[in-house]
Amino acid sequence: MATRDAGAVPGGWQVQRIRIGDTDYPYYYGIDCLDLVLQELAALDTDLFVVVTDDTVLGLHGQALLPGLRALARVEVISHPPGESMKTLPVLTADLERVLAAGATRRSVVIGLGGGVPGNLAGVIAALLFRGVRLVHIPTTTTAAMDSVLSLKQAINSTIGKNHIGTYLPPYAVFTDVALLATLPDRELRSGLCEAAKNCLAIRPQTLPRLRAVLADGELSAPEALLWLLDESVRAKSSVTVNDAREQRTGLVLEYGHTVGHAVELADHRRRGSDGVSHGEAIAFGMVVAATIAHRRGWLSEDVVQLHEEVVGALGAPLRLPEGITVDTVMDVVRDDNKRGYLPPCTESIAFVLLRDLGSPAGDPELPLVAVLLSEIREALEVVQERQPVLTGADDNGRAELG
């Protein structure tokens, strides 16, 4: 679980120890604290910083970080156009060769700067270099800060599906400057908070009143709101991974919304590239579909389904499939979900995280997965497509219009 050290770290930030199985690493966070980040990185005594990022993040934050890094050691920047296209084997191979040609050694440090996509690529690079070098995350999105860096999983995509190729590597440390999150575009900020909302619905329902109040207030970029959401995300994720470092037992509840969500994300990215629906938005839509399946099984009430729609809509995420993505398109991708193999094989069903109540996943507590027929998924998608959005201010794609 996560534990907070007494008081704040001198200089204006706080630290929590993230314990996942036998692994322990520090998570530092504060406001306007990049100078403190550089102080911590100086203590690593590295010969090379390998900064893995995307072109957008590099343009936004590179100048604030890179000069300070170059004063400490040599720096090799690996940057790609943003989006899932950088999480592929050809990109990984070329990046590894480039890093080795730049003189990387076992003393080198890989820094994942940005969101979950560059963070994942950085994690795989760090895991493969000399069978593992030090990995540091500096998340610049709410999705990364509140979800992906709270994990040992590092993965890239195959040509078949999302996150099929990867390993486990704990970061050496995580550093989050909330001021960087507050500069995100509104849609990207809200998208990342979808993972925090998932934690409230699936793990810590006692936090839902506060979440609804934060959403109603609309000031999601306020440092106080971001710090609370970050803190709750750490607590929720740590509570289910403390004895499950590989997220293959109790930690599987974190996959809530991901089965359909990953399929929608990948399908839309194949169609529109980086303009497609974001990871958080897709997961939020996947939660609505999962709640609909559970309701049709008699497990969740209509009120709980409407609560899902309320939270997802308030975050500006889609309540229906993106334009141009059909139910058939989603079904073609969802068959290759990366949770295959946890349950006995069946050609007519796949493993799914469903809730019997808020905070109560169905299935064995040690393996919170149930088999869901492909026909059930199709029917739920069709129901969601035809359902009238719960928010009266939704646009034609079921996305809430927020002022």
Side-chain angles (χ1 to χ4, degrees), residues 266-287:
L266 195 58
D268 204 24
H269 177 79
R270 288 171 176 170
R271 190 176 70 91
R272 295 193 291 163
S274 60
D275 291 330
V277 66
S278 71
H279 175 76
E281 291 174 324
I283 298 316
F285 175 79
M287 291 192 297

Side-chain angles (χ1 to χ4, degrees), residues 312-327:
V312 169
L315 285 166
L319 292 167
R320 292 197 291 271
L321 287 172
E323 184 178 354
I325 300 298
T326 66
V327 171

Side-chain angles (χ1 to χ4, degrees), residues 84-133:
E84 293 287 318
S85 59
M86 66 190 291
K87 283 178 55 176
T88 65
L89 276 172
V91 169
L92 172 66
T93 300
D95 287 350
L96 286 167
E97 295 287 355
R98 178 175 167 181
V99 170
L100 290 167
T105 73
R106 287 176 174 82
R107 286 181 53 217
S108 300
V109 174
V110 177
I111 298 177
L113 175 66
V117 173
N120 259 255
L121 179 60
V124 177
I125 290 173
L128 293 178
L129 279 175
F130 308 105
R131 301 186 184 90
V133 299

Side-chain angles (χ1 to χ4, degrees), residues 38 42 49 65-75:
L38 289 170
F49 287 112
L65 182 67
L66 294 180
L69 282 181
R70 292 190 173 109
L72 303 176
R74 292 185 301 118
V75 176

Side-chain angles (χ1 to χ4, degrees), residues 234-246:
V234 170
R235 293 178 187 279
K237 194 157 188 176
S238 297
S239 71
V240 297
T241 59
V242 62
N243 295 314
D244 183 17
R246 292 177 175 256

Side-chain angles (χ1 to χ4, degrees), residues 34 37-38 41 49 51-71 75-79 111-114 138-140 180 183:
L34 283 181
V37 174
L38 289 170
L41 293 176
F49 287 112
V51 178
V52 181
T53 187
D54 66 45
D55 297 345
T56 298
V57 173
L58 185 62
L60 288 172
H61 305 301
Q63 193 56 40
L65 182 67
L66 294 180
L69 282 181
R70 292 190 173 109
V75 176
E76 181 72 15
V77 178
I78 304 291
S79 184
I111 298 177
L113 175 66
I138 304 178
T140 64
L180 302 183
T183 65

Side-chain angles (χ1 to χ4, degrees), residues 20-21 151-153 167-168 241 243-249 251-252 342:
I20 304 176
S151 174
L152 311 185
K153 296 190 296 184
T167 187
Y168 296 87
T241 59
N243 295 314
D244 183 17
R246 292 177 175 256
E247 297 177 32
Q248 294 178 338
R249 300 191 310 278
L252 283 166
Y342 283 108

